[in-house]
Amino acid sequence: MLSRIGTCTVTGVDAIPVCAEVNLASGLPRFSIVGLAHGAVREGRERVTAALANSNFELPLRRITVNLAPADQRKGGSAFDLAIALGILLGSGQLPNDIDLSDSVVLGELGLDGSVRAVPGVLPAAMLAARSGARRLIVPTANDAEARMLNGMEVWSVSSLGELVGSLRSRKAPIRPDRAAQACAESIPGPDLGDVIGQLVARRALEISAAGGHNLLLVGPPGIGKTMLARRLPTILPELSEAEALEVARVRSAVGLVSGALELERPFRAPHHTVSYAGLMGGGRPIRPGEITLAHRGVLFLDEMTEFDRRTLESLRQPLEEGTLTLSRAAGCVNLPARVVLVAAMNPCPCGYRGDGSDRCRCDDRALDRYRARVSGPLIDRIDVRVEMGSPAAVPFDRTTTGESSADVRNRVERARQRQQERYRDELGTDCNAEAKGGLLARIARPDSAGLTLLRAWHRDRRASARAVDRVLRVSRTLADLEGQNLVQAPHVAEALQYRSPGVFGSD
């Protein structure tokens, strides 16, 4: 007898529909799974067999064939176990034939004792179910909160195979877990910008980056506070909107990182410089998101940027410009979201002490040239704000002095972002100044006559690229928004040009 159960597989951050076809035929007992199934899927035979026996069900002594359709789509993970077990129970008559699962999507890994364990990708599966018109989503109890992030979907969360079978026989949904009884993670206060003393220029650059979504480069000797500043950028960014929070949750769900509720704080990812190309950009079989996608709608921090593999760094150029990433492999193409604020930190030279006012640096010009060559000009050109941080004149050892708090800076950033939301309300795909392009940028960021004269003189003297000019205009527009000005003026252009001044990488 043939039975069909709807399920899905996750590739990248999107769910792809899969139909688990279970056929029971006469012949020598055998249990096989076909349909381009990876190792974890094929191993599901042993999990399903043991789970049925330990849940007081029978594994029919027949030829059992499970086809995961479409057969040309690679499938991985353990989320098919529950659907396969239900298919066997339906096909062998251990579940009534009148039970209709045609409008259900089933996900769950089976333990040997029949328990149903959490699986990644439940939120993308819920989105797929909603698009395809499915009425019911059957998931593990541990994924209940994640599955209910979408309104309008009937969610059955089960803790064991026996519980699910009992609910199907009685036609009643399982008892929903008591959320009030679930342990709640204690909120731990994050770092505060007030901890940073001095470094006024770098703090100003951090505020500009947050207000307009601009990429930021911090250059300075070791211990100057580059990492400390970068880790405080999420504390001054505006909270995620509900739509943005759902995007972030979908990415985190695809890799099994969802905490159970929509988070309104921006993600912060800081991969080590030994990260591989696949680790940063995504890859594997099936394709999984990389660090740049996990930082979507948040901050991607590259500490010691010059220590990263050059090929890995160069792969950032297109997603930084487009906000999306397309991975093309022999098995197909996957589109991944990658709208991030890039914050990079590096030393001014190999030893780190060039320009700190001391005589500790012994790097010659050849060593400095090799050091600069680790990062290409086109990648640096995509960074809007660059700051060279100097050593503070004095260090307050008593630590009683504090700078402006994150809350105060965040208020200014949110006001600037509100102006941008109103400005780009009718512009599809543009949410902040860093994303404005082409004719839109020329219309909203055209400076006054004095600012235009200053920009033309800089372009002529530095022989700057058209991209560099556009990025100066974007930063100028953000500076005007921070001051509540409708028109970009000469002081805004002048300050924006300061963040493109010649430094460790020379002029534009």
Side-chain angles (χ1 to χ4, degrees):
M1 184 175 178
L2 178 66
S3 60
R4 294 184 175 90
I5 307 293
T7 181
C8 67
T9 185
V10 176
T11 301
V13 297
D14 296 314
I16 299 173
V18 173
C19 179
E21 300 175 326
V22 182
N23 185 63
L24 277 67
S26 58
L28 291 176
R30 183 181 177 185
F31 190 169
S32 59
I33 299 177
V34 298
L36 279 184
H38 285 191
V41 182
R42 294 194 300 269
E43 291 171 353
R45 294 174 300 187
E46 311 304 326
R47 293 191 295 272
V48 170
T49 300
L52 289 172
N54 291 320
S55 300
N56 298 320
F57 300 113
E58 295 182 359
L59 181 69
L61 297 178
R62 305 179 69 181
R63 184 182 181 90
I64 303 173
T65 303
V66 178
N67 177 42
L68 300 176
D72 61 347
Q73 172 69 45
R74 292 187 179 275
K75 305 164 191 76
S78 56
F80 304 107
D81 293 357
L82 191 56
I84 293 172
L86 284 181
I88 292 174
L89 293 176
L90 279 171
S92 61
Q94 298 179 71
L95 275 176
N97 293 333
D98 59 347
I99 290 179
D100 184 15
L101 293 174
S102 61
D103 60 350
S104 301
V105 174
V106 182
L107 293 171
E109 175 188 331
L110 285 175
L112 299 185
D113 60 351
S115 61
V116 181
R117 295 172 177 165
V119 293
V122 168
L123 183 54
M127 293 178 173
L128 171 67
R131 290 195 305 268
S132 62
R135 182 178 60 86
R136 181 169 50 195
L137 185 65
I138 301 176
V139 298
T141 300
N143 295 116
D144 176 79
E146 182 181 347
R148 297 182 191 275
M149 288 182 182
L150 286 184
N151 296 323
M153 178 69 60
E154 180 185 357
V155 177
W156 283 22
S157 52
V158 295
S159 59
S160 67
L161 178 60
E163 180 187 5
L164 176 57
V165 170
S167 297
L168 289 173
R169 285 172 174 168
S170 64
R171 273 69 171 180
K172 294 181 180 179
I175 299 176
R176 184 175 174 178
D178 184 6
R179 290 190 176 186
Q182 293 178 356
C184 297
E186 184 178 348
S187 178
I188 301 175
D192 194 280
L193 194 58
D195 300 334
V196 180
I197 302 171
Q199 299 296 354
L200 298 181
V201 175
R203 288 173 60 101
R204 172 69 168 172
L206 205 70
E207 182 177 343
I208 295 168
S209 174
H214 303 287
N215 299 326
L216 173 65
L217 172 64
L218 300 172
V219 181
I224 204 67
K226 302 185 295 293
T227 302
M228 187 178 186
L229 278 164
R231 292 192 177 277
R232 281 152 180 78
L233 179 56
T235 68
I236 63 174
L237 285 168
E239 285 189 349
L240 293 166
S241 66
E242 186 174 348
E244 290 174 336
L246 206 56
E247 291 180 29
V248 173
R250 179 180 63 142
V251 172
R252 293 174 61 83
S253 173
V255 295
L257 295 178
V258 168
S259 61
L262 283 179
E263 299 178 7
L264 297 181
E265 291 297 326
R266 305 263 174 181
F268 180 87
R269 305 291 299 185
H272 192 259
H273 63 259
T274 56
V275 65
S276 65
Y277 172 87
L280 184 64
M281 307 305 294
R285 301 177 71 178
I287 294 177
R288 288 170 54 89
E291 290 291 335
I292 190 171
T293 299
L294 292 173
H296 178 61
R297 296 294 181 185
V299 178
L300 177 65
F301 177 45
L302 303 183
D303 198 6
E304 303 297 344
M305 182 174 66
T306 52
E307 300 301 323
F308 283 76
D309 178 70
R310 183 183 171 102
R311 172 178 172 267
T312 302
L313 280 181
E314 292 305 301
S315 63
L316 292 171
R317 287 159 56 174
Q318 183 263 340
L320 287 179
E321 198 75 21
E322 303 296 333
T324 186
L325 169 66
T326 301
L327 293 180
S328 298
R329 299 292 183 266
C333 295
V334 174
N335 292 319
L336 299 172
R339 197 167 295 281
V340 302
V341 175
L342 173 69
V343 180
M346 58 173 287
N347 296 327
C349 66
C351 76
Y353 297 108
R354 185 180 182 87
D356 71 343
S358 69
D359 57 355
R360 289 182 290 180
C361 180
R362 294 291 186 268
C363 303
D364 57 22
D365 291 341
R366 180 176 296 180
L368 189 59
D369 288 341
R370 287 197 300 267
Y371 185 71
R372 291 170 174 171
R374 296 179 185 178
V375 184
S376 71
L379 179 58
I380 292 297
D381 198 37
R382 286 167 168 81
I383 299 180
D384 301 352
V385 181
R386 312 169 196 167
V387 177
E388 293 192 57
M389 301 170 61
S391 300
V395 178
F397 291 100
D398 57 2
R399 301 293 181 184
T400 57
T401 304
T402 58
E404 194 175 19
S405 68
S406 292
D408 293 337
V409 178
R410 190 175 196 169
N411 288 335
R412 292 197 298 271
V413 168
E414 288 178 342
R415 288 195 295 269
R417 285 290 184 113
Q418 288 171 4
R419 294 175 62 88
Q420 294 168 51
Q421 289 175 3
E422 295 173 1
R423 180 184 303 128
Y424 303 127
R425 182 181 294 114
D426 300 326
E427 301 294 337
L428 186 63
T430 303
D431 299 318
C432 58
N433 291 331
E435 300 167 6
K437 298 178 182 179
L440 172 63
L441 180 63
R443 186 172 68 253
I444 65 166
R446 182 177 177 83
D448 60 11
S449 58
L452 198 56
T453 300
L454 187 62
L455 185 60
R456 285 171 175 166
W458 173 81
H459 176 263
R460 181 181 62 252
D461 294 343
R462 299 286 172 79
R463 298 179 181 177
S465 65
R467 181 193 290 122
V469 172
D470 282 351
R471 293 191 176 274
V472 170
L473 289 175
R474 293 181 184 127
V475 175
S476 301
R477 180 65 265 175
T478 298
L479 291 167
D481 287 336
L482 283 169
E483 295 182 2
Q485 300 290 332
N486 293 323
L487 180 64
V488 175
Q489 301 172 357
H492 304 140
V493 176
E495 184 176 356
L497 290 176
Q498 290 180 1
Y499 300 119
R500 307 283 299 192
S501 61
V504 67
F505 287 102
S507 61
D508 287 288

